[in-house]
Amino acid sequence: MAAEIGKILLPADRIAGRVRQLGRRLARAYTGREPVLVAVMKGSFLLAADLARAWPGPIDVEFVSAESYDGTRPGAVRLRLPRGLRSRIAGRPVLVVDDIYDTGATLAKVCRTLEALGPAEVRTLVLFRKRRARPRAGPAAEPAAVRPDWVGFDIPDRFVIGYGLDYCGRYRNLPYLAVLRQGR
Ligand code: 5GP
Ligand code: MG
């Protein structure tokens, strides 16, 4: 099982340091306003918790769920919103927080869906963004891309695990980011 944990791309202390730095920057960017941090579950559960604790000012936190991966294969994005979300974000600045940006399909779908609920604005933060020349073809690449407003780290275009990211439901709890090692 641990044989699936490959090269460590980002150790825990680098992630923690960057998240604390982003928390301070965001708090400055939102001075005088109280945003709703909308975390995209499950992948951003650690990020949301760490970012919220690094945020020196007032914020509210909400959770939406997105699912698109089947193992390591991307598919169509399915989104679930909690009941009553509209009244909690209407007229307020929303900051969508996601673990990783690959094709951008998830972020595009989340943003479009939240924008329809009447927030004052929607901005976005992703902790990891895969470096790649152009979007991958396929169902996950369909919605118009959203450029994240804040990015923690640009990483190689590999399937990664840890710090919230899973492979078949495992490894989300790793405090670092590693490449998934797969047998042939
Ligand atoms: P996108 O919609 O941008 O193509 O992909 C974003 C979503 O796919 C992320 O929120 C994440 O759940 C999942 N994802 C993309 N790349 C990876 C990866 O390398 N590892 C894992 N575990 N999930 C990924
Ligand atoms: Mg995700």
Side-chain angles (χ1 to χ4, degrees), residues 40-44 65-69 97-101 106-107 164-166 172:
V40 183
M41 294 288 111
K42 301 177 192 169
S44 51
S65 297
E67 263 179 74
S68 58
Y69 270 64
V97 171
D98 204 2
D99 48 3
I100 191 163
Y101 184 99
T106 302
L107 206 58
L165 290 155
D166 74 310
R172 293 190 195 277

Side-chain angles (χ1 to χ4, degrees), residues 4 41 50 61 79 84 142 161:
E4 289 177 330
M41 294 288 111
D50 288 345
V61 181
L79 196 63
E142 275 163 26
I161 51 175

